[in-house]
PDB file of all heavy atoms in Angstrom:
ATOM      1  N   LYS V 153     -83.692  -9.671  96.563  1.00  0.00           N
ATOM      2  CA  LYS V 153     -84.915 -10.453  96.736  1.00  0.00           C
ATOM      3  C   LYS V 153     -85.950  -9.722  97.587  1.00  0.00           C
ATOM      4  O   LYS V 153     -87.037 -10.232  97.807  1.00  0.00           O
ATOM      5  CB  LYS V 153     -84.564 -11.794  97.408  1.00  0.00           C
ATOM      6  CG  LYS V 153     -83.531 -12.588  96.609  1.00  0.00           C
ATOM      7  CD  LYS V 153     -83.135 -13.890  97.275  1.00  0.00           C
ATOM      8  CE  LYS V 153     -82.215 -13.691  98.439  1.00  0.00           C
ATOM      9  NZ  LYS V 153     -81.446 -14.936  98.773  1.00  0.00           N
ATOM     10  N   SER V 154     -85.597  -8.523  98.068  1.00  0.00           N
ATOM     11  CA  SER V 154     -86.488  -7.821  99.001  1.00  0.00           C
ATOM     12  C   SER V 154     -87.681  -7.216  98.264  1.00  0.00           C
ATOM     13  O   SER V 154     -87.598  -6.853  97.090  1.00  0.00           O
ATOM     14  CB  SER V 154     -85.717  -6.709  99.719  1.00  0.00           C
ATOM     15  OG  SER V 154     -85.391  -5.662  98.816  1.00  0.00           O
ATOM     16  N   ASP V 155     -88.791  -7.088  98.994  1.00  0.00           N
ATOM     17  CA  ASP V 155     -89.977  -6.442  98.424  1.00  0.00           C
ATOM     18  C   ASP V 155     -89.635  -5.025  97.963  1.00  0.00           C
ATOM     19  O   ASP V 155     -90.104  -4.580  96.919  1.00  0.00           O
ATOM     20  CB  ASP V 155     -91.096  -6.372  99.473  1.00  0.00           C
ATOM     21  CG  ASP V 155     -91.719  -7.740  99.762  1.00  0.00           C
ATOM     22  OD1 ASP V 155     -91.254  -8.744  99.186  1.00  0.00           O
ATOM     23  OD2 ASP V 155     -92.670  -7.783 100.573  1.00  0.00           O
ATOM     24  N   ALA V 156     -88.829  -4.320  98.758  1.00  0.00           N
ATOM     25  CA  ALA V 156     -88.538  -2.912  98.435  1.00  0.00           C
ATOM     26  C   ALA V 156     -87.844  -2.799  97.073  1.00  0.00           C
ATOM     27  O   ALA V 156     -88.204  -1.951  96.247  1.00  0.00           O
ATOM     28  CB  ALA V 156     -87.674  -2.283  99.528  1.00  0.00           C
ATOM     29  N   TYR V 157     -86.851  -3.656  96.834  1.00  0.00           N
ATOM     30  CA  TYR V 157     -86.142  -3.578  95.546  1.00  0.00           C
ATOM     31  C   TYR V 157     -87.058  -4.004  94.397  1.00  0.00           C
ATOM     32  O   TYR V 157     -87.118  -3.351  93.353  1.00  0.00           O
ATOM     33  CB  TYR V 157     -84.874  -4.440  95.582  1.00  0.00           C
ATOM     34  CG  TYR V 157     -84.015  -4.255  94.338  1.00  0.00           C
ATOM     35  CD1 TYR V 157     -83.271  -3.098  94.147  1.00  0.00           C
ATOM     36  CD2 TYR V 157     -83.974  -5.241  93.352  1.00  0.00           C
ATOM     37  CE1 TYR V 157     -82.505  -2.915  93.007  1.00  0.00           C
ATOM     38  CE2 TYR V 157     -83.207  -5.077  92.204  1.00  0.00           C
ATOM     39  CZ  TYR V 157     -82.468  -3.902  92.031  1.00  0.00           C
ATOM     40  OH  TYR V 157     -81.715  -3.728  90.901  1.00  0.00           O
ATOM     41  N   ARG V 158     -87.758  -5.113  94.597  1.00  0.00           N
ATOM     42  CA  ARG V 158     -88.654  -5.612  93.544  1.00  0.00           C
ATOM     43  C   ARG V 158     -89.733  -4.586  93.204  1.00  0.00           C
ATOM     44  O   ARG V 158     -90.100  -4.414  92.046  1.00  0.00           O
ATOM     45  CB  ARG V 158     -89.297  -6.929  93.983  1.00  0.00           C
ATOM     46  CG  ARG V 158     -88.318  -8.099  94.017  1.00  0.00           C
ATOM     47  CD  ARG V 158     -88.909  -9.304  94.736  1.00  0.00           C
ATOM     48  NE  ARG V 158     -90.172  -9.745  94.156  1.00  0.00           N
ATOM     49  CZ  ARG V 158     -90.952 -10.666  94.716  1.00  0.00           C
ATOM     50  NH1 ARG V 158     -90.609 -11.243  95.860  1.00  0.00           N
ATOM     51  NH2 ARG V 158     -92.082 -11.039  94.126  1.00  0.00           N
ATOM     52  N   ALA V 159     -90.261  -3.928  94.215  1.00  0.00           N
ATOM     53  CA  ALA V 159     -91.354  -2.974  93.980  1.00  0.00           C
ATOM     54  C   ALA V 159     -90.843  -1.685  93.348  1.00  0.00           C
ATOM     55  O   ALA V 159     -91.498  -1.113  92.473  1.00  0.00           O
ATOM     56  CB  ALA V 159     -92.069  -2.668  95.296  1.00  0.00           C
ATOM     57  N   ARG V 160     -89.676  -1.226  93.800  1.00  0.00           N
ATOM     58  CA  ARG V 160     -89.267   0.144  93.464  1.00  0.00           C
ATOM     59  C   ARG V 160     -88.302   0.272  92.294  1.00  0.00           C
ATOM     60  O   ARG V 160     -88.216   1.334  91.674  1.00  0.00           O
ATOM     61  CB  ARG V 160     -88.680   0.814  94.701  1.00  0.00           C
ATOM     62  CG  ARG V 160     -89.708   1.004  95.824  1.00  0.00           C
ATOM     63  CD  ARG V 160     -89.090   1.623  97.059  1.00  0.00           C
ATOM     64  NE  ARG V 160     -88.336   2.822  96.725  1.00  0.00           N
ATOM     65  CZ  ARG V 160     -87.177   3.166  97.282  1.00  0.00           C
ATOM     66  NH1 ARG V 160     -86.642   2.406  98.222  1.00  0.00           N
ATOM     67  NH2 ARG V 160     -86.558   4.251  96.916  1.00  0.00           N
ATOM     68  N   ALA V 161     -87.536  -0.788  91.988  1.00  0.00           N
ATOM     69  CA  ALA V 161     -86.499  -0.645  90.950  1.00  0.00           C
ATOM     70  C   ALA V 161     -87.092  -0.244  89.606  1.00  0.00           C
ATOM     71  O   ALA V 161     -86.474   0.507  88.848  1.00  0.00           O
ATOM     72  CB  ALA V 161     -85.708  -1.945  90.811  1.00  0.00           C
ATOM     73  N   VAL V 162     -88.290  -0.725  89.305  1.00  0.00           N
ATOM     74  CA  VAL V 162     -88.904  -0.369  88.022  1.00  0.00           C
ATOM     75  C   VAL V 162     -89.520   1.027  88.048  1.00  0.00           C
ATOM     76  O   VAL V 162     -89.519   1.733  87.052  1.00  0.00           O
ATOM     77  CB  VAL V 162     -89.979  -1.400  87.576  1.00  0.00           C
ATOM     78  CG1 VAL V 162     -89.319  -2.646  87.013  1.00  0.00           C
ATOM     79  CG2 VAL V 162     -90.929  -1.751  88.708  1.00  0.00           C
ATOM     80  N   ARG V 163     -90.068   1.445  89.196  1.00  0.00           N
ATOM     81  CA  ARG V 163     -90.806   2.707  89.260  1.00  0.00           C
ATOM     82  C   ARG V 163     -89.899   3.902  89.531  1.00  0.00           C
ATOM     83  O   ARG V 163     -90.094   4.978  88.956  1.00  0.00           O
ATOM     84  CB  ARG V 163     -91.898   2.632  90.335  1.00  0.00           C
ATOM     85  CG  ARG V 163     -92.702   3.926  90.498  1.00  0.00           C
ATOM     86  CD  ARG V 163     -93.935   3.767  91.387  1.00  0.00           C
ATOM     87  NE  ARG V 163     -93.670   3.114  92.662  1.00  0.00           N
ATOM     88  CZ  ARG V 163     -93.109   3.707  93.729  1.00  0.00           C
ATOM     89  NH1 ARG V 163     -92.762   4.976  93.669  1.00  0.00           N
ATOM     90  NH2 ARG V 163     -92.909   3.019  94.839  1.00  0.00           N
ATOM     91  N   GLU V 164     -88.927   3.718  90.412  1.00  0.00           N
ATOM     92  CA  GLU V 164     -88.053   4.848  90.748  1.00  0.00           C
ATOM     93  C   GLU V 164     -86.599   4.398  90.842  1.00  0.00           C
ATOM     94  O   GLU V 164     -85.980   4.460  91.916  1.00  0.00           O
ATOM     95  CB  GLU V 164     -88.511   5.549  92.034  1.00  0.00           C
ATOM     96  CG  GLU V 164     -88.897   4.611  93.164  1.00  0.00           C
ATOM     97  CD  GLU V 164     -89.382   5.380  94.397  1.00  0.00           C
ATOM     98  OE1 GLU V 164     -89.558   6.602  94.311  1.00  0.00           O
ATOM     99  OE2 GLU V 164     -89.541   4.739  95.449  1.00  0.00           O
ATOM    100  N   PRO V 165     -86.048   3.945  89.696  1.00  0.00           N
ATOM    101  CA  PRO V 165     -84.683   3.418  89.712  1.00  0.00           C
ATOM    102  C   PRO V 165     -83.652   4.434  90.185  1.00  0.00           C
ATOM    103  O   PRO V 165     -82.684   4.076  90.851  1.00  0.00           O
ATOM    104  CB  PRO V 165     -84.437   3.021  88.248  1.00  0.00           C
ATOM    105  CG  PRO V 165     -85.422   3.821  87.458  1.00  0.00           C
ATOM    106  CD  PRO V 165     -86.628   3.941  88.341  1.00  0.00           C
ATOM    107  N   ARG V 166     -83.878   5.697  89.878  1.00  0.00           N
ATOM    108  CA  ARG V 166     -82.880   6.713  90.260  1.00  0.00           C
ATOM    109  C   ARG V 166     -82.848   6.899  91.778  1.00  0.00           C
ATOM    110  O   ARG V 166     -81.776   7.112  92.348  1.00  0.00           O
ATOM    111  CB  ARG V 166     -83.171   8.033  89.543  1.00  0.00           C
ATOM    112  CG  ARG V 166     -82.914   7.938  88.038  1.00  0.00           C
ATOM    113  CD  ARG V 166     -83.421   9.153  87.270  1.00  0.00           C
ATOM    114  NE  ARG V 166     -83.179   8.982  85.837  1.00  0.00           N
ATOM    115  CZ  ARG V 166     -82.085   9.399  85.202  1.00  0.00           C
ATOM    116  NH1 ARG V 166     -81.144  10.043  85.856  1.00  0.00           N
ATOM    117  NH2 ARG V 166     -81.937   9.172  83.899  1.00  0.00           N
ATOM    118  N   GLU V 167     -84.007   6.806  92.425  1.00  0.00           N
ATOM    119  CA  GLU V 167     -84.040   6.911  93.888  1.00  0.00           C
ATOM    120  C   GLU V 167     -83.371   5.684  94.510  1.00  0.00           C
ATOM    121  O   GLU V 167     -82.648   5.788  95.509  1.00  0.00           O
ATOM    122  CB  GLU V 167     -85.485   7.033  94.386  1.00  0.00           C
ATOM    123  CG  GLU V 167     -86.132   8.397  94.135  1.00  0.00           C
ATOM    124  CD  GLU V 167     -86.528   8.646  92.680  1.00  0.00           C
ATOM    125  OE1 GLU V 167     -86.372   7.731  91.833  1.00  0.00           O
ATOM    126  OE2 GLU V 167     -86.981   9.767  92.378  1.00  0.00           O
ATOM    127  N   VAL V 168     -83.622   4.508  93.938  1.00  0.00           N
ATOM    128  CA  VAL V 168     -82.993   3.289  94.456  1.00  0.00           C
ATOM    129  C   VAL V 168     -81.476   3.372  94.279  1.00  0.00           C
ATOM    130  O   VAL V 168     -80.711   3.047  95.203  1.00  0.00           O
ATOM    131  CB  VAL V 168     -83.561   2.030  93.750  1.00  0.00           C
ATOM    132  CG1 VAL V 168     -82.773   0.786  94.134  1.00  0.00           C
ATOM    133  CG2 VAL V 168     -85.045   1.857  94.100  1.00  0.00           C
ATOM    134  N   LEU V 169     -81.036   3.842  93.134  1.00  0.00           N
ATOM    135  CA  LEU V 169     -79.596   3.981  92.905  1.00  0.00           C
ATOM    136  C   LEU V 169     -78.979   4.924  93.937  1.00  0.00           C
ATOM    137  O   LEU V 169     -77.882   4.671  94.441  1.00  0.00           O
ATOM    138  CB  LEU V 169     -79.324   4.493  91.485  1.00  0.00           C
ATOM    139  CG  LEU V 169     -79.568   3.467  90.380  1.00  0.00           C
ATOM    140  CD1 LEU V 169     -79.450   4.125  88.999  1.00  0.00           C
ATOM    141  CD2 LEU V 169     -78.592   2.304  90.487  1.00  0.00           C
ATOM    142  N   ALA V 170     -79.701   5.976  94.282  1.00  0.00           N
ATOM    143  CA  ALA V 170     -79.186   6.907  95.285  1.00  0.00           C
ATOM    144  C   ALA V 170     -79.008   6.201  96.623  1.00  0.00           C
ATOM    145  O   ALA V 170     -78.063   6.482  97.372  1.00  0.00           O
ATOM    146  CB  ALA V 170     -80.133   8.103  95.420  1.00  0.00           C
ATOM    147  N   GLU V 171     -79.904   5.249  96.933  1.00  0.00           N
ATOM    148  CA  GLU V 171     -79.772   4.508  98.197  1.00  0.00           C
ATOM    149  C   GLU V 171     -78.540   3.597  98.181  1.00  0.00           C
ATOM    150  O   GLU V 171     -78.037   3.210  99.240  1.00  0.00           O
ATOM    151  CB  GLU V 171     -81.058   3.714  98.472  1.00  0.00           C
ATOM    152  CG  GLU V 171     -82.186   4.645  98.919  1.00  0.00           C
ATOM    153  CD  GLU V 171     -83.580   4.042  98.823  1.00  0.00           C
ATOM    154  OE1 GLU V 171     -83.706   2.804  98.795  1.00  0.00           O
ATOM    155  OE2 GLU V 171     -84.542   4.828  98.772  1.00  0.00           O
ATOM    156  N   PHE V 172     -78.075   3.251  97.005  1.00  0.00           N
ATOM    157  CA  PHE V 172     -76.826   2.487  96.875  1.00  0.00           C
ATOM    158  C   PHE V 172     -75.618   3.428  96.762  1.00  0.00           C
ATOM    159  O   PHE V 172     -74.499   2.961  96.556  1.00  0.00           O
ATOM    160  CB  PHE V 172     -76.886   1.582  95.650  1.00  0.00           C
ATOM    161  CG  PHE V 172     -77.649   0.304  95.870  1.00  0.00           C
ATOM    162  CD1 PHE V 172     -79.027   0.255  95.706  1.00  0.00           C
ATOM    163  CD2 PHE V 172     -76.996  -0.863  96.257  1.00  0.00           C
ATOM    164  CE1 PHE V 172     -79.738  -0.925  95.916  1.00  0.00           C
ATOM    165  CE2 PHE V 172     -77.690  -2.037  96.472  1.00  0.00           C
ATOM    166  CZ  PHE V 172     -79.062  -2.069  96.306  1.00  0.00           C
ATOM    167  N   GLY V 173     -75.858   4.730  96.828  1.00  0.00           N
ATOM    168  CA  GLY V 173     -74.756   5.675  96.730  1.00  0.00           C
ATOM    169  C   GLY V 173     -74.262   5.873  95.309  1.00  0.00           C
ATOM    170  O   GLY V 173     -73.144   6.343  95.097  1.00  0.00           O
ATOM    171  N   VAL V 174     -75.084   5.511  94.332  1.00  0.00           N
ATOM    172  CA  VAL V 174     -74.665   5.643  92.933  1.00  0.00           C
ATOM    173  C   VAL V 174     -75.109   6.989  92.381  1.00  0.00           C
ATOM    174  O   VAL V 174     -76.275   7.363  92.494  1.00  0.00           O
ATOM    175  CB  VAL V 174     -75.274   4.508  92.070  1.00  0.00           C
ATOM    176  CG1 VAL V 174     -75.031   4.767  90.588  1.00  0.00           C
ATOM    177  CG2 VAL V 174     -74.699   3.171  92.485  1.00  0.00           C
ATOM    178  N   THR V 175     -74.170   7.722  91.800  1.00  0.00           N
ATOM    179  CA  THR V 175     -74.481   8.970  91.115  1.00  0.00           C
ATOM    180  C   THR V 175     -74.262   8.756  89.622  1.00  0.00           C
ATOM    181  O   THR V 175     -73.178   8.361  89.207  1.00  0.00           O
ATOM    182  CB  THR V 175     -73.563  10.108  91.603  1.00  0.00           C
ATOM    183  OG1 THR V 175     -73.614  10.127  93.036  1.00  0.00           O
ATOM    184  CG2 THR V 175     -74.002  11.441  91.047  1.00  0.00           C
ATOM    185  N   LEU V 176     -75.298   9.007  88.838  1.00  0.00           N
ATOM    186  CA  LEU V 176     -75.187   8.821  87.395  1.00  0.00           C
ATOM    187  C   LEU V 176     -74.640  10.084  86.743  1.00  0.00           C
ATOM    188  O   LEU V 176     -74.706  11.177  87.321  1.00  0.00           O
ATOM    189  CB  LEU V 176     -76.564   8.506  86.805  1.00  0.00           C
ATOM    190  CG  LEU V 176     -77.227   7.225  87.308  1.00  0.00           C
ATOM    191  CD1 LEU V 176     -78.600   7.053  86.642  1.00  0.00           C
ATOM    192  CD2 LEU V 176     -76.357   6.003  87.023  1.00  0.00           C
ATOM    193  N   LEU V 177     -74.139   9.917  85.534  1.00  0.00           N
ATOM    194  CA  LEU V 177     -73.761  11.080  84.734  1.00  0.00           C
ATOM    195  C   LEU V 177     -75.046  11.776  84.294  1.00  0.00           C
ATOM    196  O   LEU V 177     -76.056  11.112  84.054  1.00  0.00           O
ATOM    197  CB  LEU V 177     -72.977  10.634  83.492  1.00  0.00           C
ATOM    198  CG  LEU V 177     -71.686   9.851  83.738  1.00  0.00           C
ATOM    199  CD1 LEU V 177     -71.127   9.329  82.406  1.00  0.00           C
ATOM    200  CD2 LEU V 177     -70.668  10.744  84.436  1.00  0.00           C
ATOM    201  N   PRO V 178     -75.008  13.109  84.160  1.00  0.00           N
ATOM    202  CA  PRO V 178     -76.231  13.811  83.714  1.00  0.00           C
ATOM    203  C   PRO V 178     -76.690  13.343  82.334  1.00  0.00           C
ATOM    204  O   PRO V 178     -77.858  13.483  81.987  1.00  0.00           O
ATOM    205  CB  PRO V 178     -75.807  15.284  83.672  1.00  0.00           C
ATOM    206  CG  PRO V 178     -74.481  15.375  84.337  1.00  0.00           C
ATOM    207  CD  PRO V 178     -73.890  14.008  84.422  1.00  0.00           C
ATOM    208  N   THR V 179     -75.767  12.761  81.575  1.00  0.00           N
ATOM    209  CA  THR V 179     -76.099  12.328  80.210  1.00  0.00           C
ATOM    210  C   THR V 179     -76.750  10.950  80.165  1.00  0.00           C
ATOM    211  O   THR V 179     -77.183  10.510  79.106  1.00  0.00           O
ATOM    212  CB  THR V 179     -74.816  12.241  79.373  1.00  0.00           C
ATOM    213  OG1 THR V 179     -73.855  11.457  80.109  1.00  0.00           O
ATOM    214  CG2 THR V 179     -74.243  13.617  79.087  1.00  0.00           C
ATOM    215  N   GLN V 180     -76.819  10.253  81.292  1.00  0.00           N
ATOM    216  CA  GLN V 180     -77.269   8.850  81.246  1.00  0.00           C
ATOM    217  C   GLN V 180     -78.776   8.707  81.447  1.00  0.00           C
ATOM    218  O   GLN V 180     -79.335   9.208  82.427  1.00  0.00           O
ATOM    219  CB  GLN V 180     -76.546   8.025  82.325  1.00  0.00           C
ATOM    220  CG  GLN V 180     -75.129   7.644  81.926  1.00  0.00           C
ATOM    221  CD  GLN V 180     -74.435   6.867  83.027  1.00  0.00           C
ATOM    222  OE1 GLN V 180     -74.401   7.296  84.185  1.00  0.00           O
ATOM    223  NE2 GLN V 180     -73.884   5.723  82.670  1.00  0.00           N
ATOM    224  N   LYS V 181     -79.404   7.977  80.530  1.00  0.00           N
ATOM    225  CA  LYS V 181     -80.757   7.502  80.768  1.00  0.00           C
ATOM    226  C   LYS V 181     -80.659   6.197  81.550  1.00  0.00           C
ATOM    227  O   LYS V 181     -79.592   5.552  81.552  1.00  0.00           O
ATOM    228  CB  LYS V 181     -81.509   7.293  79.458  1.00  0.00           C
ATOM    229  CG  LYS V 181     -80.989   6.145  78.596  1.00  0.00           C
ATOM    230  CD  LYS V 181     -81.680   6.128  77.235  1.00  0.00           C
ATOM    231  CE  LYS V 181     -82.828   5.144  77.223  1.00  0.00           C
ATOM    232  NZ  LYS V 181     -83.496   5.052  75.909  1.00  0.00           N
ATOM    233  N   VAL V 182     -81.726   5.793  82.202  1.00  0.00           N
ATOM    234  CA  VAL V 182     -81.738   4.529  82.934  1.00  0.00           C
ATOM    235  C   VAL V 182     -82.625   3.530  82.197  1.00  0.00           C
ATOM    236  O   VAL V 182     -83.764   3.840  81.830  1.00  0.00           O
ATOM    237  CB  VAL V 182     -82.259   4.725  84.379  1.00  0.00           C
ATOM    238  CG1 VAL V 182     -82.346   3.379  85.087  1.00  0.00           C
ATOM    239  CG2 VAL V 182     -81.336   5.668  85.152  1.00  0.00           C
TER     240      VAL V 182
END
Side-chain angles (χ1 to χ4, degrees):
Chain V
K153 303 178 285 201
S154 69
D155 288 2
Y157 187 74
R158 289 168 56 189
R160 295 178 51 219
V162 283
R163 179 170 50 78
E164 44 182 8
R166 291 170 182 268
E167 286 74 4
V168 172
L169 287 173
E171 286 163 21
F172 280 86
V174 171
T175 309
L176 298 179
L177 301 173
T179 51
Q180 281 178 308
K181 68 187 263 182
V182 176

